[in-house]
Amino acid sequence: MDERERTRRPGGRSARVGAQVHQAVTDLIGERGYGNFTVGDVAARAKVADSSIYRRWGSLEALLGDVALTRLNAQSPMPDTGSLAGDLRTYAAQVAREITGPDGPAVLHLAVALSGGGRQGLLAGAGLRAERTRQLQAMLDRAHDRGEPALDALDVLDHILAPMYIRVLFGIVPLTPDYIDGLVDRML
Amino acid sequence: MDERERTRRPGGRSARVGAQVHQAVTDLIGERGYGNFTVGDVAARAKVADSSIYRRWGSLEALLGDVALTRLNAQSPMPDTGSLAGDLRTYAAQVAREITGPDGPAVLHLAVALSGGGRQGLLAGAGLRAERTRQLQAMLDRAHDRGEPALDALDVLDHILAPMYIRVLFGIVPLTPDYIDGLVDRML
């Protein structure tokens, strides 16, 4: 298959390469930690050429941001329970499960590291957060449209997400259901 | 001066080496970011032998934790204003100034990175946090002894420090005085 043909068919091979590369990144973060591997390491692990990665993602930072966003969207879709309290409790419990799961601390360190990793890292981190903030704000706006209090995504970041993120980053775990619900109730 | 003599006199030369090494670490974090330099880089910048660093600190992680704690203690001593609200507002404003200052994000990334950096990093990070938590709890206990509400250092971490840390780590700045006082008032 030549280069042009490959570009024209994003389904089969392209999807498979994408999945291999994502898995390779997740494995390498788990084994070595963020910042301790290169595009070459990812390529070798995924059994693809370095050039395939650069062509598709442009930089290691953009690839890392893509991996983090894909994982978050797959594992923590925004809930729609019919009430603001229900949505927030479900969302908070999902995030807690995600960041305390086997790859969770690695993904969280990645998000933090992106914000301290130069211009490409900043762009990738900002893109990742902008997309998740947009999804969260849509959930909050749905509640407001139903006549529930108006909330800003930043309130949720400050009072629900930030305490959970910092506790996991500092190793103050587990996050118990009572603790998580307490954060939501306190905010509401 | 031979090795033994140097060890016996912790004042002059030892203090000077300590200051040079600390400054070298702060500079390297600012220029390259955490994780992108070695003990050898620090030694070269500080104009000391690698072996001097290993002998004194044992590992890069322990050195990084020592630098972070020294900076925090020097720049953000715990306040004693006579009231819990005053203490917390002053403390929160100090922390905000520290983490948004020229070296602030680097120190914060360091503290986070230590928690994801293997056993030596975990130990250094835990030691750093334990010492600061002890100081903070002493401030809260003073207030309780005066008859003010009892607070736990973890409450302050969750509701005042975590939102500020995450906003700086995610680049959502500045932290305005109104925002900081709002976090304290909300918690009290």
Side-chain angles (χ1 to χ4, degrees), chain A residues 66-95:
Chain A
D66 183 34
V67 170
L69 185 60
T70 303
R71 289 180 51 82
L72 284 170
N73 286 340
Q75 299 184 8
S76 298
M78 294 293 161
D80 188 4
T81 65
S83 80
L84 180 59
D87 283 357
L88 285 173
R89 281 175 173 235
T90 305
Y91 174 59
Q94 276 177 358
V95 171

Side-chain angles (χ1 to χ4, degrees), chain B residues 11 94-95 107 138 179:
Chain B
Q94 276 178 359
V95 171
V107 171
Y179 170 74

